[in-house]
Amino acid sequence: MSLTIYYIYDGSFTGLLSALYYALNDKEKDKNKNIYILKENTQITQDLFAEYKKIKPDEDLANQISKKIKSDILSNTLSKIYYVFLSELDGVENIIFDYLKISFKEGSQIDEMLSNKTVDKLNKIRNKVSKERHRMLGFLRFKKLNMGIYYAPMEPDYDILTLIAPHFTKRLGDQSWVIHDVKREKCALYNQEDLIYTIENIPADKLVEDKEEQEFKNLWKKYFDHVTIKERKNLKLQQQFLPKKYWKYLPEKE
């Protein structure tokens, strides 16, 4: 009977890379082993004959596997699997694991293996996350709070906070702001110098709008109505480019 091992990580990207380090080395030593990677607290049917190994996030191991991925495969592969990790889809760890097993064998040719099911699956997930990142750069709306900072709430399908926040350090580098992923209760804070990520929730009493904010919202709505050509209004097409799920925090849709 072939041995089955489950590597269990804490849900962080460093934890995943640490688990991948052990899983790939184990698979290299014994190709008959059945190896899977699981996120902590994933509900599974326990296998009495399997081994379950809890992996602590280890920066050194994560750096070692990151360097190997960049040197032995392609320089953009690490970024690609990071996007896929942020999808938070069930079982995505094992898609990444399968993809890396193929990639270490095929090297830089991996990008040309588009008919391979694992490569195709990983590329499709990566593209969905990238598409939402691109959309959110345009859909994110900041409003001024009475404490003088700007606040932008969002509820994306994927965990894209770390993909979009660096963009706004350049675009709004002379302002202090908060981007709040309401769905995941995590924030990116910027004070015109440093960008910090936190999982601390923001008390509702701190989210009081500045007195001038409503005036700016009204001006923006007037502008939006003014540039709309009623005779050419096409709601179906509009929703194609601006899906309803993003309307909640758009002042022009209030």
Side-chain angles (χ1 to χ4, degrees):
M1 186 191 302
S2 57
L3 179 63
T4 298
I5 303 176
Y6 290 90
Y7 286 101
I8 301 167
Y9 76 106
D10 66 344
S12 69
F13 191 56
T14 300
L16 173 61
L17 290 174
S18 305
L20 284 166
Y21 175 91
Y22 286 110
L24 288 163
N25 277 315
D26 251 13
K27 193 67 181 175
E28 183 65 28
K29 289 175 188 169
D30 184 353
K31 297 192 185 316
N32 291 321
K33 282 181 182 174
N34 298 312
I35 298 176
Y36 303 96
I37 299 176
L38 293 176
K39 186 158 69 174
E40 211 168 42
N41 300 323
T42 299
Q43 297 294 320
I44 59 165
T45 304
Q46 291 284 324
D47 179 349
L48 288 175
F49 301 101
E51 284 185 26
Y52 296 86
K53 296 185 177 182
K54 194 167 182 177
I55 304 298
K56 290 182 180 176
D58 186 314
E59 290 287 350
D60 287 337
L61 295 184
N63 286 335
Q64 284 185 51
I65 193 69
S66 297
K67 286 177 183 173
K68 189 172 172 57
I69 289 169
K70 286 180 179 176
S71 63
D72 292 7
I73 308 174
L74 287 166
S75 58
N76 68 345
T77 303
L78 188 63
S79 166
K80 185 183 283 190
I81 65 173
Y82 182 58
Y83 272 63
V84 174
F85 165 74
L86 295 178
S87 72
E88 300 179 320
L89 296 174
D90 289 341
V92 76
E93 301 83 6
N94 292 300
I95 296 173
I96 293 172
F97 180 43
D98 290 342
Y99 179 82
L100 287 179
K101 282 187 289 183
I102 300 168
S103 297
F104 278 121
K105 184 180 174 187
E106 302 295 336
S108 60
Q109 300 301 309
I110 190 71
D111 270 3
E112 296 172 20
M113 299 174 62
L114 301 179
S115 60
N116 181 286
K117 286 183 180 177
T118 300
V119 175
D120 180 56
K121 197 182 294 183
L122 185 130
N123 283 338
K124 282 179 177 170
I125 297 172
R126 192 267 174 199
N127 291 341
K128 285 181 180 176
V129 176
S130 178
K131 186 177 181 181
E132 184 167 58
R133 171 194 174 273
H134 179 73
R135 277 177 161 169
M136 198 54 72
L137 292 180
F139 296 162
L140 200 68
R141 298 286 187 269
F142 288 85
K143 58 183 177 183
K144 191 174 182 182
L145 302 182
N146 66 355
M147 65 176 78
I149 67 171
Y150 289 84
Y151 171 77
M154 64 174 187
E155 295 183 41
D157 290 338
Y158 308 120
D159 185 10
I160 57 171
L161 184 63
T162 56
L163 300 180
I164 66 168
H167 170 84
F168 290 99
T169 61
K170 296 173 185 171
R171 188 171 159 190
L172 298 172
D174 60 345
Q175 302 292 338
S176 296
W177 47 256
V178 178
I179 300 175
H180 185 191
D181 184 337
V182 179
K183 188 175 174 181
R184 296 171 182 81
E185 296 186 347
K186 52 168 60 173
C187 298
L189 313 176
Y190 182 68
N191 62 1
Q192 301 177 48
E193 290 184 1
D194 300 312
L195 176 63
I196 300 166
Y197 298 101
T198 176
I199 56 170
E200 289 180 24
N201 209 3
I202 302 177
D205 63 349
K206 301 290 183 188
L207 300 177
V208 180
E209 289 184 2
D210 185 84
K211 289 178 182 175
E212 294 179 339
E213 183 60 30
Q214 193 54 51
E215 292 177 31
F216 284 116
K217 277 186 182 177
N218 292 338
L219 284 173
W220 175 244
K221 285 179 192 174
K222 280 182 184 174
Y223 167 77
F224 189 76
D225 291 340
H226 182 70
V227 297
T228 300
I229 302 171
K230 291 180 182 176
E231 293 76 14
R232 298 180 65 182
K233 213 169 187 177
N234 185 335
L235 287 177
K236 192 175 177 182
L237 185 64
Q238 187 186 51
Q239 287 182 29
Q240 187 179 326
F241 290 105
L242 184 56
K244 257 189 165 178
K245 61 184 176 182
Y246 299 117
W247 289 13
K248 185 174 179 181
Y249 299 111
L250 297 178
E252 60 267 38
K253 291 295 180 187
E254 285 180 356

